Amino acid sequence: MLTKLRRFCLWYWLMTKRLLKKPSYLVLLLAVPVLTVALTVAAREDTGLITVALAGGDNDPVAVSAKEQLLSTRGLLRCIRFDTPEEAIESVKGAQADAAWIFQDNAEEEVRKLITSSGSRGAVLVVEREETVFLRLAREELASVLYPAASRILFREHLAAISGEKPLPEDSVLEPYYRTLSADQQVLVFTYDDGQVQEPTMDFLTNPLRGLLSLLAVLAGLASCMFYYAEEDAESFLRIRGAAGRLLPMLCHICAMVPVALAGLVAMAVSGMLHSFGWELALSALLCLSSAGFCEALRRICRKQEVLGALLPILMMVMLVLSPIFLHFKQFAILRSLLPPVYYLNGSYRGAPEVRFLLYTVIALALGTLIPPPVKGK
């Protein structure tokens, strides 16, 4: 048994060593740290999908507090402070900003009028180049930073209505009571269909990193398929027959994917994306096994190197779009069920491999073994 294990490890090392001599594979392996560094650096920069110019309200406490919160916000918004409303509006006209939010000098009073239905003219003047979905979401962020002020005013107005003619104490006295009633809890809590609570998302620029790294692992398996066509033509493994010969292609694909998957684990650990190393290792192992079966089944179906080479960019684009990397589509369910990254990403979001992932891996490995291999010259 020990002799067989040593022989297997020797074969595995030789299979991996032959890949390290191929420049195209080295480029693919180096793409993992390059992609990780690029996304991490971009996430640390002052980035955002929407750029908003902030101005006005320098003497109003509600406006000052709202602007400070907006300037410290990361993610969707990138806020820039301007000295005057005119400069902020000019930035929108000059396409330097997507919108300008001009806080009124009496923003607190306007919020009070809104709460008491006293004819408010608005606490913030919004100037936009055009109406977009992202700008609508941005205005939701604006409403969220103004809500605490509105909530406190509503709280005080309610107490005033209850107390009647009795004067209310100062805000500093009422603040502890307000905080007791408004506990710091999430308004919206996202859960999966099995009741598991979704963890808060990280920076939106590094979120796709896991999915892109999984695509690189699958691409390594597809590259191994291309290499194996050439090795079959050269009759490199002609003496290996029987069960070993049937499993050899998938072992070659696994040898190509394991270094990429391990590099991906290291990259995610460095960027702080690992949930549990044990589960992450299990997910990566299932990704390599399922992708090996998927790639080999595809290689045997395509039969020729030219056909797989022509299909490869289309396949990568389909996996990029249909896998839940940037967006999650409910359409094309049958097509999505054929792609290994879909199961890997679903398992990673839930923090553990799913039974469907295990079943898919078994089916993929079976298909990669049972589909008749291409015959040289046909």
Side-chain angles (χ1 to χ4, degrees):
M1 183 67 182
L2 187 59
T3 302
K4 291 183 178 179
L5 181 60
R6 288 177 178 175
R7 183 177 297 177
F8 174 81
C9 292
L10 177 61
W11 268 97
Y12 183 85
W13 164 243
L14 292 175
M15 290 291 198
T16 306
K17 185 178 179 180
R18 92 192 198 286
L19 290 170
L20 298 177
K21 295 182 179 181
K22 299 180 183 293
S24 56
Y25 182 76
L26 290 177
V27 171
L28 182 61
L29 194 58
L30 289 174
V32 175
V34 170
L35 179 64
T36 304
V37 171
L39 288 179
T40 303
V41 171
R44 291 176 180 174
E45 295 294 329
D46 190 12
T47 57
L49 295 178
I50 294 295
T51 300
V52 177
L54 304 179
D58 295 331
N59 299 320
D60 186 272
V62 170
V64 171
S65 175
K67 287 195 296 183
E68 291 300 327
Q69 291 184 56
L70 290 171
L71 289 168
S72 62
T73 299
R74 294 185 62 196
L76 174 68
L77 292 181
R78 173 176 175 260
C79 295
I80 304 175
R81 189 198 301 269
F82 284 85
D83 294 332
T84 64
E86 291 76 16
E87 292 178 356
I89 295 174
E90 285 298 323
S91 70
V92 177
K93 293 181 179 179
Q96 298 175 1
D98 300 291
W101 294 345
I102 312 301
F103 288 83
Q104 304 301 315
D105 293 330
N106 59 340
E108 184 175 9
E109 182 61 28
E110 292 296 335
V111 172
R112 186 184 307 277
K113 290 180 180 179
L114 176 65
I115 295 300
T116 57
S117 301
S118 303
S120 172
R121 301 182 62 182
V124 183
L125 173 65
V126 177
V127 180
E128 298 176 350
R129 287 193 297 159
E130 59 181 349
E131 177 75 5
T132 66
V133 174
F134 289 123
L135 284 175
R136 291 182 182 179
L137 292 174
R139 292 199 297 271
E140 294 294 330
E141 185 72 24
L142 174 61
S144 70
V145 299
L146 291 174
Y147 173 78
S151 177
R152 284 179 171 83
I153 293 173
L154 182 61
F155 176 68
R156 189 175 180 85
E157 292 293 331
H158 178 68
L159 292 180
I162 295 176
S163 62
E165 299 296 330
K166 295 181 181 180
L168 293 178
E170 298 294 329
D171 291 342
S172 59
V173 178
L174 294 177
E175 183 65 19
Y177 297 97
Y178 171 81
R179 291 187 176 277
T180 301
L181 295 174
S182 58
D184 187 14
Q185 297 178 352
Q186 289 181 288
V187 177
L188 299 177
V189 178
F190 295 92
T191 63
Y192 296 105
D193 52 6
D194 58 1
Q196 181 181 351
V197 178
Q198 181 180 351
E199 295 295 328
T201 57
M202 292 165 288
D203 193 284
F204 75 100
L205 282 176
T206 56
N207 279 338
L209 178 61
R210 179 188 296 274
L212 295 176
L213 292 176
S214 69
L215 289 187
L216 286 179
V218 179
L219 182 59
L222 293 171
S224 176
C225 291
M226 302 295 288
F227 299 151
Y228 200 83
Y229 279 122
E231 289 165 342
E232 277 188 329
D233 292 338
E235 298 182 346
S236 301
F237 307 115
L238 188 62
R239 297 180 60 183
I240 303 177
R241 300 182 182 277
R246 289 192 296 271
L247 297 175
L248 183 63
M250 284 189 288
L251 177 59
C252 291
H253 307 333
I254 292 174
C255 290
M257 286 185 288
V258 165
V260 178
L262 290 177
L265 280 177
V266 173
M268 288 188 291
V270 170
S271 56
M273 297 184 64
L274 289 186
H275 302 299
S276 169
F277 183 77
W279 285 123
E280 295 285 358
L281 192 61
L283 282 168
S284 297
L286 285 176
L287 176 65
C288 291
L289 290 172
S290 61
S291 298
F294 171 80
C295 294
E296 179 58 17
L298 192 64
R299 187 186 76 87
R300 297 190 178 197
I301 292 173
C302 292
R303 316 299 289 179
K304 294 183 179 180
Q305 186 178 13
E306 295 80 5
V307 177
L308 181 59
L311 184 62
L312 198 150
I314 300 174
L315 179 62
M316 294 303 298
M317 184 60 67
V318 169
M319 285 194 289
L320 179 65
V321 173
L322 294 186
S323 299
I325 299 175
F326 298 101
L327 297 172
H328 181 75
F329 292 99
K330 294 184 178 180
Q331 297 81 5
F332 311 106
I334 296 178
L335 186 57
R336 285 190 292 109
S337 65
L338 302 177
L339 306 176
V342 172
Y343 297 92
Y344 168 76
L345 292 174
N346 286 337
S348 66
Y349 295 149
R350 293 174 182 268
E354 295 179 297
V355 176
R356 288 179 296 180
F357 197 3
L358 297 171
L359 181 61
Y360 174 84
T361 302
V362 172
I363 295 174
L365 290 173
L367 291 175
T369 305
L370 299 177
I371 295 177
V375 180
K376 185 179 180 180
K378 294 185 180 181

